[in-house]
Amino acid sequence: MSSKRIALFGSTGSVGVNTLDVIRRNAGRFEIAYLATNRNIGLLAGQIAEFHPSAVAVGDEAAAKEFLASKPECEVLVGADGLQELARRSDYDIFVGALVGFAGLAPTIEAVRQGKRVTLANKETLVVAGELLTELAKKSGSEIIPIDSEHSAVHQCLVGESPESIRRIILTASGGPFRTLPKESFKSITVESALKHPNWIMGRKITIDSATLMNKGLEIIEAKWLFDVPLNKIDVVVHPQSIVHSFVEFVDGSIKAQLGMPDMRLPIQYALSAPERLPQTYDLLDLVKNSNLEFAQPDTDKFPCLRIAREAGERGGLYPCILNAANEIAVEAFLAGQISFNEIPRLIESALEAAPNGSEERLSSETEPEIAESLEKINSCDENTRLWAKEFVKGSK
């Protein structure tokens, strides 16, 4: 069997590094065609030396210029246009979307247009453009398989099941590092403490999203588009052990769950190989040692981001884009010490309240001109929301 050629976008982040480990462990089944990063050119150089891609893309133009000066051994594409051009190429089989935030949208759309298998860790892409992306996938024959552990679990639970049999999807949330911290203590939360996730080792942005529970709010919207299920059929339960990755409840009352150790390589490998399962030697789940499994309702009073995200998803149109852009700026500002942990949801909710008239209008994806117009609306909304949010940050000092 010939190996599958992988275009890995976001190769230097936590998902990207784990994806390369999966490929390393399955040499002969997968090989790297392309790598892309935003700005971590030091780590990218080492990845090029090991995996020998035909070309790479560096999204940050200053970093790309510095990298080109080092005379790398392969073709280097530059900036946002370079990311899109690389994704647009036809000589690869699987696109791994692991770029952080809104930057992952345009390359993912290009891969979907190509009809590729798209394995997606970048949840923001489906949050801001889920309707467009899923419609494009239907037209091109692209298959979108989630890498998030929760959505991977749902995907696995739904194999062989009819959509009509779903009563609800239940996403699990660890609760983050502040699950048991009293609300009155939130004002003194530090960046260092917020970055200490109890179960997962992830990038800085997603770790803060987990601490605010925005990560789970984004996942609710993502699940709507991935599984074509209305938001009122998607619930969240807090599960501190992160052993049950999600449930699906069916109309007859049966519940399926996918369990495993908290290791991102498991859903990554499944996304690359599905429906086949490849043998592997990752840490195996010992049910006796992990028999104390707890579940609880999330506290949306302590963690309002979960409520705010659901409301934005229900309003639809450009509201999820506003939600995502405001959240990205809020997280950046918190990490930079410009706002407090408590101000993250306040900024996001204020951005949604300030949304211009017409933000709820449905984005059209019927024709190419309509798709182009919808993408322009999304890009403009993202840019304007970021400018508004940055002014909010300045005013909060």
Side-chain angles (χ1 to χ4, degrees):
M1 184 191 301
S2 61
S3 61
K4 297 291 186 182
R5 288 171 55 80
I6 310 294
L8 173 53
F9 280 60
S11 67
T12 59
S14 60
V15 171
V17 169
N18 277 306
T19 300
L20 290 174
D21 188 54
V22 169
I23 292 169
R24 189 183 292 116
R25 289 167 177 258
N26 292 279
R29 302 216 45 140
F30 308 111
E31 63 179 291
I32 287 294
Y34 303 122
L35 296 173
T37 187
N38 187 29
R39 63 172 60 92
N40 191 344
I41 56 176
L43 184 53
L44 179 65
Q47 294 173 346
I48 292 171
E50 180 178 1
F51 292 96
H52 309 292
S54 302
V56 301
V58 180
D60 183 271
E61 295 193 11
K65 184 177 180 180
E66 180 183 345
F67 192 58
L68 283 165
S70 70
K71 298 184 178 179
E73 297 178 357
C74 64
E75 180 187 4
V76 179
L77 287 77
V78 176
D81 290 343
L83 292 170
Q84 290 184 63
E85 181 184 336
L86 201 61
R88 201 178 290 128
R89 294 186 177 183
S90 60
D91 59 339
Y92 67 92
D93 303 296
I94 301 173
F95 174 92
V96 179
L99 285 168
V100 175
F102 188 80
L105 173 61
T108 304
I109 285 176
E110 295 299 337
V112 168
R113 285 181 183 276
Q114 290 286 328
K116 304 296 184 182
R117 170 176 284 200
V118 171
T119 63
L120 202 55
N122 176 289
K123 60 178 60 63
E124 294 86 354
T125 291
L126 279 170
V127 169
V128 303
E131 186 171 13
L132 285 179
L133 207 66
T134 51
E135 286 301 315
L136 283 173
K138 289 175 185 176
K139 292 175 182 176
S140 70
S142 176
E143 182 182 21
I144 301 175
I145 300 182
I147 285 178
D148 269 346
S149 62
E150 296 83 0
H151 296 102
S152 175
V154 174
H155 187 280
Q156 293 177 62
C157 289
L158 289 177
V159 171
E161 304 286 355
S162 68
E164 296 77 19
S165 68
I166 302 170
R167 175 173 286 159
R168 62 177 176 148
I169 289 169
I170 307 168
L171 303 174
T172 57
S174 70
F178 309 126
R179 178 176 57 89
T180 60
L181 188 71
K183 183 181 178 182
E184 55 269 22
S185 300
F186 276 29
K187 60 181 177 293
S188 58
I189 286 173
T190 65
V191 171
E192 183 182 20
S193 61
L195 288 172
K196 290 182 179 177
H197 194 280
N199 300 331
W200 297 93
I201 299 173
M202 306 178 291
R204 286 163 64 87
K205 194 265 181 182
I206 193 173
T207 302
I208 301 302
D209 282 348
S210 181
T212 64
L213 260 62
M214 176 57 82
N215 196 41
K216 213 52 51 179
L218 297 175
E219 287 176 10
I220 289 172
I221 301 172
E222 185 183 9
K224 165 186 167 68
W225 298 115
L226 279 171
F227 308 113
D228 195 20
V229 171
L231 289 172
N232 63 7
K233 287 190 174 184
I234 305 170
D235 290 331
V236 172
V237 297
V238 174
H239 170 50
Q241 294 77 28
S242 297
I243 296 297
V244 180
H245 296 299
S246 279
F247 304 90
V248 177
E249 182 180 42
F250 297 95
V251 292
D252 62 357
S254 299
I255 294 179
K256 279 186 181 181
Q258 187 264 328
L259 286 71
M261 295 299 289
D263 186 333
M264 279 306 301
R265 293 173 297 180
L266 297 175
I268 291 168
Q269 181 171 287
Y270 176 78
L272 295 179
S273 67
E276 185 180 3
R277 292 185 182 272
L278 304 180
Q280 200 44 263
T281 56
Y282 308 131
D283 289 344
L284 299 178
L285 174 62
D286 186 322
L287 286 171
V288 175
K289 291 181 180 178
N290 294 277
S291 60
N292 183 26
L293 303 181
E294 306 168 74
F295 304 95
Q297 287 294 322
D299 186 340
T300 54
D301 181 51
K302 279 174 61 174
F303 299 100
C305 283
L306 185 58
R307 169 187 58 79
I308 294 167
R310 185 182 285 276
E311 290 172 356
E314 288 169 347
R315 296 173 86 172
L318 291 170
Y319 279 99
C321 180
I322 296 167
L323 172 87
N324 179 71
N327 179 60
E328 288 193 19
I329 296 301
V331 170
E332 287 176 9
F334 171 68
L335 288 170
Q338 296 172 322
I339 64 173
S340 69
F341 188 82
N342 271 348
E343 288 178 297
I344 293 175
R346 187 164 71 89
L347 188 161
I348 298 164
E349 196 155 35
S350 297
L352 290 165
E353 290 171 354
N357 292 333
S359 295
E360 72 285 349
E361 290 181 9
R362 182 178 175 272
L363 297 169
S364 180
S365 57
E366 296 301 319
T367 66
E368 284 297 324
E370 288 174 334
I371 292 169
E373 182 181 355
S374 293
L375 287 172
E376 178 57 36
K377 286 180 180 178
I378 290 170
N379 285 321
S380 177
C381 175
D382 177 79
E383 182 179 351
N384 291 335
T385 302
R386 288 172 191 273
L387 291 172
W388 186 96
K390 288 175 181 178
E391 289 301 313
F392 183 97
V393 170
K394 289 179 183 177
S396 68
K397 292 180 181 179

